[in-house]
Amino acid sequence: MPETAAQTLEWLSEEHLAERDRLKERLFELKRLRRAAIVAHNYQHDEVQEVADITGDSLALSQHCVQLDAPVIVFAGVDFMAESAAILNPEKTVLLPEIRADCPMSKMAAWEAVKAMKSQYPDAAVVAYVNCSAEVKAEADICCTSANAVKVVSALPHKRIVFVPDRNLGHYVQRFVPDKEIILWKGFCPTHQRFTIDDLLQSKREHPDALFVAHPECRPEVLVLADHVCSTSGMVSWCRQAPADEFIVGTESGMLYRLRQDNPAKRFYLPTVKLTCPTMKMTTLDKVVQSLELMQYQITVDEAIRVRAKRSLDRMLAITQEQPWAALAGY
Ligand code: 13P
Ligand code: SF4
């Protein structure tokens, strides 16, 4: 048995590593047994991203789930992401390892309020950022993600857009479509909202040579100072090719794992520890194992809502896959 504090620490970390190996082994057995695929959002804990078959942003993961032939999908992310996978893949079993992992921004738009807004602006198209409930997707004309919001809004024939629920993303999109009027919902991401201009300026003072890359969920006054604004997966490709060795990363802390893996010679800094999404971090390796062990928590969507929500997601995917006319059919 360890006798000193240092020996105890060493013993504990060996125990932890051994437990991690045991969990990984069990996970691979269960994956084979259930014929399951593990998809993980870029914000997940390192240990979860490490065992995933694919990591990505909301758009990449939605697209990937449609192409998968595995009958079971374990979605390491938050509720609306697993729900999108279930909407697009009704024949598959979609599991969310931690049932309390929700997105507070998605709760900021109730479908009844979106419906009321729609009747207030009958000439407008309702664009729903995917960080919303299945019911809101069903009410919307089309969905978007942070990777394609500008493209989706630009492709629409409408001059007026009701954009739900993220006011910061909607405000950012407005820059690129000055001829359209974007009516903003009042929602926001509490995690990105906690990141202030003072945090950014402090980080810039500490890392004067670093470029600043930001997620469009950040506050507008933070976004105007960004060298580049993009989705989480967009950060991977942009930082890879950008002519710099150091980056301040204006998004959730989990993003740093993927960026560092991909660019071992570059340095990535989180401007503030406040950029940690509490619900994204609820999913741990043992919960992923447990979800396959117990086949929990199965995410399902009422069929009538699912069909209408799928139409909004399909329209978005068609635009993203360069088929705007297929997407707009039905307007
Ligand atoms: P991405 O689609 O860019 O991964 O963003 C999802 C999200 O929840 C950001 O907070
Ligand atoms: Fe929702 Fe923000 Fe967490 Fe993304 S980071 S899941 S938008 S609360």
Side-chain angles (χ1 to χ4, degrees):
M1 283 303 282
E3 286 169 5
T4 62
Q7 282 172 348
T8 307
L9 273 179
E10 197 179 321
W11 181 75
L12 281 176
S13 69
E14 276 169 18
E15 281 285 289
H16 176 73
L17 289 177
E19 171 65 1
R20 219 154 114 158
D21 287 348
R22 194 193 60 74
L23 283 172
K24 277 189 194 168
E25 224 169 90
R26 182 63 186 143
L27 183 66
F28 292 125
E29 272 171 29
L30 285 166
K31 267 183 67 179
R32 264 195 308 277
L33 186 72
R34 311 276 196 222
R35 295 181 46 230
I38 298 173
V39 302
H41 188 263
N42 288 323
Y43 294 162
Q44 288 290 291
H45 282 295
D46 301 3
E47 62 180 26
V48 174
Q49 294 197 42
E50 224 175 79
V51 296
D53 295 292
I54 178 178
T55 55
D57 62 11
S58 310
L59 178 63
L61 296 180
S62 295
Q63 287 169 322
H64 187 72
C65 287
V66 175
Q67 285 151 17
L68 277 175
D69 57 11
V72 176
I73 297 172
V74 180
F75 210 117
V78 289
D79 56 355
F80 76 84
M81 297 179 175
E83 212 171 56
S84 292
I87 291 167
L88 291 168
N89 302 277
E91 71 295 351
K92 292 177 189 158
T93 301
V94 178
L95 303 175
L96 184 68
E98 167 54 73
I99 198 63
R100 295 168 306 162
D102 61 6
C103 168
M105 167 157 52
S106 82
K107 306 281 176 293
M108 295 179 188
W111 72 267
E112 296 90 337
V114 173
K115 196 179 160 107
M117 185 79 134
K118 218 167 130 179
S119 41
Q120 201 183 330
Y121 297 99
D123 60 323
V126 177
V127 178
Y129 184 33
V130 287
N131 300 37
C132 64
S133 65
E135 288 80 1
V136 168
K137 290 182 177 78
E139 282 305 322
D141 292 299
I142 189 165
C143 286
C144 73
T145 73
S146 61
N148 59 24
V150 172
K151 195 168 186 176
V152 165
V153 172
S154 307
L156 293 171
H158 306 71
K159 285 279 177 227
R160 237 182 194 184
I161 307 290
V162 171
F163 194 92
V164 295
D166 187 7
R167 66 180 186 221
N168 291 346
L169 176 61
H171 185 273
Y172 172 72
V173 171
Q174 180 74 80
R175 272 200 221 169
F176 300 87
V177 286
D179 56 323
K180 299 194 188 220
E181 181 195 358
I182 301 192
I183 298 154
L184 299 175
W185 203 259
K186 296 213 171 4
F188 58 90
C189 161
T191 299
H192 286 83
Q193 196 73 7
R194 282 193 294 273
F195 168 37
T196 63
I197 191 83
D198 288 343
D199 298 323
L200 175 62
L201 295 177
Q202 174 63 25
S203 188
K204 277 177 169 284
R205 278 192 291 275
E206 286 163 16
H207 310 290
D209 297 328
L211 294 183
F212 172 47
V213 62
H215 194 278
E217 286 175 14
C218 291
R219 294 163 178 267
E221 65 273 23
V222 164
L223 290 181
V224 289
L225 293 183
D227 294 292
H228 189 61
V229 176
C230 57
S231 77
T232 57
S233 287
M235 290 182 182
V236 177
S237 44
W238 189 76
C239 291
R240 190 184 300 142
Q241 56 72 48
D245 297 326
E246 295 180 74
F247 300 86
I248 297 167
V249 181
T251 197
E252 210 276 342
S253 58
M255 193 64 228
L256 270 67
Y257 170 78
R258 176 82 191 275
L259 289 169
R260 287 175 178 152
Q261 288 281 314
D262 217 60
N263 303 277
K266 298 190 176 193
R267 287 186 296 284
F268 298 94
Y269 311 112
L270 195 69
T272 164
V273 289
K274 291 180 277 180
L275 276 165
T276 299
C277 173
T279 50
M280 272 283 178
K281 295 298 190 249
M282 283 180 170
T283 306
T284 51
L285 184 55
D286 57 325
K287 285 185 186 156
V288 175
V289 174
Q290 198 180 49
S291 81
L292 274 179
E293 201 85 70
L294 304 175
M295 292 299 281
Q296 71 183 21
Y297 295 91
Q298 211 162 316
I299 302 300
T300 52
V301 178
D302 170 84
E303 186 57 14
I305 292 168
R306 188 193 70 78
V307 170
R308 291 169 59 220
K310 183 171 184 299
R311 186 200 55 170
S312 300
L313 284 168
D314 282 343
R315 283 175 172 165
M316 169 190 82
L317 291 172
I319 284 185
T320 310
Q321 288 146 15
E322 308 294 346
Q323 301 163 348
W325 306 121
L328 296 176
Y331 273 100

